[in-house]
Amino acid sequence: MKKGSKISNAVIKRLPRYRRYLNELHKKGVDKISSRELSDLIGYTASQIRQDLNNFGGFGQQGYGYNVEALYNEISSILGLDKEYKMVIVGAGNLGQAIANHTSYYKAGFVVYSLFEVNPKLIGIKINDIDVRDCEELVAYIEENKVDIGIICTTKDAAQEVADKMAFAGVKGIWNFAAVDLEMPESVAVENVHLSDGLHSLAYHINRNHHERVES
Ligand SMILES: NC(=O)c1ccc[n+]([C@@H]2O[C@H](COP(=O)([O-])OP(=O)(O)OC[C@H]3O[C@@H](n4cnc5c(N)ncnc54)[C@H](O)[C@@H]3O)[C@@H](O)[C@H]2O)c1
């Protein structure tokens, strides 16, 4: 990628999908692929793919296509997936525990160092061998361990206060699962997750197919 150039957020959002498909192709021993072949696999148009991947320069060649491994490595590096990230989870209820138990993040370099709670019944237990600590210790723990990412799995009403503590202590990013719009300084990146968004667009597609069948 050219130094200093900024990639749009819409392109960034598509990069993990490109990376996933390129990884599968690499595992199957595929060395090169054209934008048309990628389009058949991924579902974006060939011109969209060419436009997106032009951001990274040098990987697509006329009549050759894309070098699968080089493009995979470049996208990984742009996404910052060639490093390790220290994470903490605040809120060790259903969701916090599910995330702590989900081991594939670890393989990808996202390591959960600790969970934090206010519920005395949960403080002191281990989830997937990771300690659940008292939330009172959150700020000191983040500072001491130079934690990069805070994951918010608390109830909605506690989320902003927890996010403020995380930001004060120096996290670079927050992965927020609570249904609240966090107010954060620009120095802290926030990614909100709403699982129901996927379900709602699924409902749309089910109904659209149904309407199309009825009309035809
Ligand atoms: N984004 C999504 O797609 C999605 C999906 C499911 C749940 N959620 C949300 O995620 C959150 C967690 O869901 P859940 O099912 O795990 O709930 P849960 O009630 O099982 O767990 C929440 C935990 O947060 C703890 N907590 C509350 N305030 C705290 C604080 N200040 N510091 C530390 N811990 C605190 C509680 O003691 C509890 O253990 C909720 O806000 C829920 O609405 C989001």
Short mmCIF file of all heavy atoms in Angstrom, two decimals, residues 90-97 116-119 122 135 152-158 161-162 165 176-179 193-196, ligand 1:
data_model
loop_
_atom_site.label_atom_id
_atom_site.label_comp_id
_atom_site.label_asym_id
_atom_site.label_seq_id
_atom_site.Cartn_x
_atom_site.Cartn_y
_atom_site.Cartn_z
N VAL A 90 -14.98 -7.22 30.01
CA VAL A 90 -15.68 -6.76 31.20
C VAL A 90 -17.13 -7.21 31.10
O VAL A 90 -17.82 -6.92 30.11
CB VAL A 90 -15.57 -5.22 31.36
CG1 VAL A 90 -16.33 -4.79 32.62
CG2 VAL A 90 -14.11 -4.81 31.48
N GLY A 91 -17.56 -7.95 32.14
CA GLY A 91 -18.88 -8.60 32.13
C GLY A 91 -18.67 -10.08 31.81
O GLY A 91 -18.39 -10.43 30.66
N ALA A 92 -18.74 -10.91 32.86
CA ALA A 92 -18.48 -12.35 32.65
C ALA A 92 -19.78 -13.13 32.72
O ALA A 92 -19.86 -14.19 33.33
CB ALA A 92 -17.47 -12.84 33.69
N GLY A 93 -20.82 -12.59 32.10
CA GLY A 93 -22.11 -13.30 32.01
C GLY A 93 -22.09 -14.23 30.81
O GLY A 93 -21.04 -14.72 30.39
N ASN A 94 -23.27 -14.45 30.21
CA ASN A 94 -23.39 -15.40 29.09
C ASN A 94 -22.43 -15.08 27.95
O ASN A 94 -21.68 -15.92 27.48
CB ASN A 94 -24.82 -15.36 28.52
CG ASN A 94 -25.83 -15.85 29.53
OD1 ASN A 94 -25.65 -16.92 30.11
ND2 ASN A 94 -26.87 -15.07 29.76
N LEU A 95 -22.48 -13.81 27.52
CA LEU A 95 -21.70 -13.42 26.34
C LEU A 95 -20.20 -13.35 26.64
O LEU A 95 -19.38 -13.87 25.88
CB LEU A 95 -22.21 -12.06 25.85
CG LEU A 95 -21.85 -11.67 24.44
CD1 LEU A 95 -22.31 -12.72 23.45
CD2 LEU A 95 -22.45 -10.32 24.10
N GLY A 96 -19.86 -12.74 27.77
CA GLY A 96 -18.45 -12.63 28.16
C GLY A 96 -17.81 -14.01 28.26
O GLY A 96 -16.70 -14.23 27.78
N GLN A 97 -18.55 -14.95 28.84
CA GLN A 97 -18.00 -16.30 28.98
C GLN A 97 -17.89 -16.98 27.61
O GLN A 97 -16.91 -17.69 27.34
CB GLN A 97 -18.91 -17.14 29.90
CG GLN A 97 -18.92 -16.60 31.32
CD GLN A 97 -19.44 -17.62 32.33
OE1 GLN A 97 -19.48 -18.82 32.07
NE2 GLN A 97 -19.83 -17.14 33.49
N PHE A 116 -13.41 -9.26 33.90
CA PHE A 116 -13.70 -8.41 35.06
C PHE A 116 -15.20 -8.41 35.33
O PHE A 116 -16.00 -8.45 34.38
CB PHE A 116 -13.20 -6.98 34.82
CG PHE A 116 -11.70 -6.90 34.83
CD1 PHE A 116 -10.99 -7.11 33.65
CD2 PHE A 116 -11.00 -6.66 36.00
CE1 PHE A 116 -9.60 -7.08 33.65
CE2 PHE A 116 -9.62 -6.63 36.00
CZ PHE A 116 -8.91 -6.83 34.83
N GLU A 117 -15.54 -8.36 36.61
CA GLU A 117 -16.94 -8.46 37.02
C GLU A 117 -17.26 -7.61 38.24
O GLU A 117 -16.35 -7.17 38.94
CB GLU A 117 -17.25 -9.93 37.40
CG GLU A 117 -18.10 -10.69 36.43
CD GLU A 117 -19.50 -10.15 36.22
OE1 GLU A 117 -20.03 -9.49 37.13
OE2 GLU A 117 -20.09 -10.38 35.14
N VAL A 118 -18.54 -7.37 38.47
CA VAL A 118 -18.98 -6.76 39.73
C VAL A 118 -19.69 -7.81 40.60
O VAL A 118 -19.83 -7.61 41.80
CB VAL A 118 -19.95 -5.56 39.51
CG1 VAL A 118 -19.20 -4.34 39.04
CG2 VAL A 118 -21.08 -5.92 38.56
N ASN A 119 -20.14 -8.89 39.99
CA ASN A 119 -20.89 -9.92 40.72
C ASN A 119 -19.93 -10.77 41.56
O ASN A 119 -19.09 -11.48 41.01
CB ASN A 119 -21.64 -10.79 39.70
CG ASN A 119 -22.48 -11.86 40.36
OD1 ASN A 119 -22.32 -12.13 41.56
ND2 ASN A 119 -23.36 -12.47 39.60
N LEU A 122 -19.08 -14.34 40.71
CA LEU A 122 -18.24 -14.63 39.54
C LEU A 122 -16.78 -14.24 39.77
O LEU A 122 -15.87 -14.84 39.18
CB LEU A 122 -18.80 -13.91 38.31
CG LEU A 122 -20.19 -14.39 37.84
CD1 LEU A 122 -20.75 -13.48 36.77
CD2 LEU A 122 -20.10 -15.82 37.32
N CYS A 135 -13.93 -5.75 39.15
CA CYS A 135 -13.88 -4.61 38.22
C CYS A 135 -13.12 -3.41 38.82
O CYS A 135 -12.65 -2.55 38.08
CB CYS A 135 -15.30 -4.23 37.81
SG CYS A 135 -15.34 -3.56 36.16
N ILE A 152 -16.64 -5.10 25.84
CA ILE A 152 -17.71 -4.77 26.79
C ILE A 152 -18.88 -5.75 26.63
O ILE A 152 -19.54 -5.78 25.58
CB ILE A 152 -18.19 -3.32 26.60
CG1 ILE A 152 -17.01 -2.36 26.88
CG2 ILE A 152 -19.37 -3.03 27.54
CD1 ILE A 152 -17.37 -0.90 26.82
N CYS A 153 -19.08 -6.54 27.68
CA CYS A 153 -20.19 -7.51 27.71
C CYS A 153 -21.02 -7.30 28.96
O CYS A 153 -21.57 -8.25 29.52
CB CYS A 153 -19.65 -8.94 27.70
SG CYS A 153 -18.78 -9.36 26.20
N THR A 154 -21.08 -6.05 29.42
CA THR A 154 -21.88 -5.75 30.62
C THR A 154 -23.32 -5.45 30.19
O THR A 154 -23.61 -5.36 28.99
CB THR A 154 -21.35 -4.49 31.33
OG1 THR A 154 -21.52 -3.39 30.42
CG2 THR A 154 -19.91 -4.62 31.72
N THR A 155 -24.15 -5.22 31.19
CA THR A 155 -25.49 -4.72 30.89
C THR A 155 -25.34 -3.32 30.28
O THR A 155 -24.32 -2.66 30.48
CB THR A 155 -26.30 -4.65 32.20
OG1 THR A 155 -25.44 -4.14 33.22
CG2 THR A 155 -26.79 -6.02 32.61
N LYS A 156 -26.40 -2.91 29.58
CA LYS A 156 -26.38 -1.65 28.83
C LYS A 156 -26.04 -0.44 29.73
O LYS A 156 -25.23 0.42 29.36
CB LYS A 156 -27.78 -1.49 28.24
CG LYS A 156 -28.00 -0.44 27.24
CD LYS A 156 -29.43 -0.56 26.75
CE LYS A 156 -29.85 0.71 26.06
NZ LYS A 156 -31.25 0.66 25.62
N ASP A 157 -26.63 -0.39 30.92
CA ASP A 157 -26.48 0.79 31.78
C ASP A 157 -25.05 0.98 32.29
O ASP A 157 -24.66 2.09 32.65
CB ASP A 157 -27.48 0.74 32.96
CG ASP A 157 -27.37 -0.56 33.75
OD1 ASP A 157 -26.79 -1.52 33.22
OD2 ASP A 157 -27.85 -0.60 34.90
N ALA A 158 -24.26 -0.10 32.31
CA ALA A 158 -22.89 0.01 32.85
C ALA A 158 -21.86 0.31 31.74
O ALA A 158 -20.71 0.65 32.04
CB ALA A 158 -22.51 -1.28 33.55
N GLU A 161 -19.69 3.80 31.46
CA GLU A 161 -18.73 3.97 32.57
C GLU A 161 -17.53 3.02 32.39
O GLU A 161 -16.38 3.41 32.59
CB GLU A 161 -19.43 3.70 33.90
CG GLU A 161 -18.63 4.21 35.08
CD GLU A 161 -19.23 3.80 36.42
OE1 GLU A 161 -20.46 3.62 36.51
OE2 GLU A 161 -18.43 3.62 37.36
N VAL A 162 -17.83 1.79 31.98
CA VAL A 162 -16.76 0.82 31.75
C VAL A 162 -15.87 1.30 30.60
O VAL A 162 -14.64 1.26 30.68
CB VAL A 162 -17.37 -0.58 31.45
CG1 VAL A 162 -16.32 -1.52 30.89
CG2 VAL A 162 -18.00 -1.17 32.69
N LYS A 165 -13.53 4.04 31.70
CA LYS A 165 -12.39 3.51 32.48
C LYS A 165 -11.36 2.88 31.54
O LYS A 165 -10.16 3.06 31.71
CB LYS A 165 -12.87 2.43 33.46
CG LYS A 165 -13.56 2.97 34.68
CD LYS A 165 -13.84 1.83 35.64
CE LYS A 165 -14.62 2.31 36.85
NZ LYS A 165 -15.13 1.22 37.66
N ASN A 176 -17.59 -3.43 21.44
CA ASN A 176 -18.74 -3.21 22.31
C ASN A 176 -19.95 -4.05 21.90
O ASN A 176 -20.46 -3.92 20.79
CB ASN A 176 -19.12 -1.72 22.26
CG ASN A 176 -20.40 -1.43 22.99
OD1 ASN A 176 -20.66 -2.01 24.05
ND2 ASN A 176 -21.23 -0.56 22.44
N PHE A 177 -20.38 -4.89 22.82
CA PHE A 177 -21.57 -5.72 22.56
C PHE A 177 -22.83 -5.16 23.20
O PHE A 177 -23.92 -5.64 22.91
CB PHE A 177 -21.33 -7.16 23.06
CG PHE A 177 -20.42 -7.94 22.17
CD1 PHE A 177 -19.04 -7.82 22.30
CD2 PHE A 177 -20.91 -8.77 21.18
CE1 PHE A 177 -18.18 -8.53 21.46
CE2 PHE A 177 -20.07 -9.48 20.34
CZ PHE A 177 -18.70 -9.36 20.49
N ALA A 178 -22.69 -4.18 24.11
CA ALA A 178 -23.88 -3.62 24.76
C ALA A 178 -24.60 -2.69 23.78
O ALA A 178 -23.96 -1.98 23.01
CB ALA A 178 -23.47 -2.86 26.01
N ALA A 179 -25.93 -2.71 23.83
CA ALA A 179 -26.71 -1.95 22.86
C ALA A 179 -26.77 -0.47 23.24
O ALA A 179 -27.81 0.04 23.66
CB ALA A 179 -28.11 -2.54 22.76
N VAL A 193 -21.05 -4.31 17.96
CA VAL A 193 -21.54 -5.56 17.36
C VAL A 193 -23.01 -5.71 17.70
O VAL A 193 -23.39 -5.63 18.87
CB VAL A 193 -20.77 -6.78 17.90
CG1 VAL A 193 -21.23 -8.06 17.21
CG2 VAL A 193 -19.28 -6.60 17.74
N HIS A 194 -23.81 -5.92 16.68
CA HIS A 194 -25.24 -6.20 16.89
C HIS A 194 -25.56 -7.49 16.15
O HIS A 194 -25.77 -7.46 14.94
CB HIS A 194 -26.11 -5.07 16.33
CG HIS A 194 -25.84 -3.75 16.95
ND1 HIS A 194 -26.24 -3.45 18.24
CD2 HIS A 194 -25.21 -2.64 16.50
CE1 HIS A 194 -25.85 -2.23 18.54
NE2 HIS A 194 -25.23 -1.71 17.50
N LEU A 195 -25.59 -8.60 16.89
CA LEU A 195 -25.86 -9.89 16.24
C LEU A 195 -27.21 -9.85 15.52
O LEU A 195 -27.38 -10.48 14.49
CB LEU A 195 -25.87 -11.02 17.27
CG LEU A 195 -24.55 -11.32 17.97
CD1 LEU A 195 -24.71 -12.49 18.92
CD2 LEU A 195 -23.47 -11.63 16.96
N SER A 196 -28.15 -9.08 16.07
CA SER A 196 -29.49 -9.09 15.48
C SER A 196 -29.51 -8.45 14.08
O SER A 196 -30.42 -8.72 13.30
CB SER A 196 -30.49 -8.39 16.40
OG SER A 196 -30.01 -7.11 16.70
N1 LIG B 1 -24.47 -7.19 20.51
C1 LIG B 1 -25.12 -8.31 20.45
O1 LIG B 1 -25.37 -8.85 19.40
C2 LIG B 1 -25.57 -8.90 21.75
C3 LIG B 1 -26.04 -10.21 21.86
C4 LIG B 1 -26.38 -10.68 23.12
C5 LIG B 1 -26.26 -9.83 24.23
N2 LIG B 1 -25.85 -8.56 24.04
C6 LIG B 1 -25.66 -7.62 25.15
O2 LIG B 1 -24.42 -7.98 25.77
C7 LIG B 1 -24.49 -7.73 27.16
C8 LIG B 1 -24.19 -9.01 27.91
O3 LIG B 1 -25.18 -9.99 27.63
P1 LIG B 1 -25.26 -11.30 28.51
O4 LIG B 1 -26.31 -12.16 27.94
O5 LIG B 1 -23.89 -11.84 28.69
O6 LIG B 1 -25.79 -10.68 29.91
P2 LIG B 1 -25.54 -11.24 31.37
O7 LIG B 1 -26.56 -10.58 32.23
O8 LIG B 1 -25.44 -12.73 31.36
O9 LIG B 1 -24.08 -10.67 31.74
C9 LIG B 1 -23.80 -9.33 32.02
C10 LIG B 1 -22.74 -9.33 33.11
O10 LIG B 1 -22.23 -8.01 33.26
C11 LIG B 1 -21.93 -7.84 34.62
N3 LIG B 1 -21.80 -6.41 34.91
C12 LIG B 1 -22.78 -5.48 35.02
N4 LIG B 1 -22.24 -4.27 35.29
C13 LIG B 1 -20.89 -4.44 35.33
C14 LIG B 1 -19.80 -3.57 35.55
N5 LIG B 1 -19.97 -2.27 35.79
N6 LIG B 1 -18.56 -4.08 35.51
C15 LIG B 1 -18.36 -5.41 35.29
N7 LIG B 1 -19.36 -6.28 35.05
C16 LIG B 1 -20.62 -5.81 35.09
C17 LIG B 1 -23.08 -8.52 35.35
O11 LIG B 1 -22.75 -8.83 36.68
C18 LIG B 1 -23.28 -9.75 34.48
O12 LIG B 1 -22.54 -10.87 34.95
C19 LIG B 1 -25.89 -7.15 27.42
O13 LIG B 1 -25.80 -5.75 27.40
C20 LIG B 1 -26.70 -7.67 26.25
O14 LIG B 1 -27.79 -6.84 25.96
C21 LIG B 1 -25.49 -8.10 22.86
#
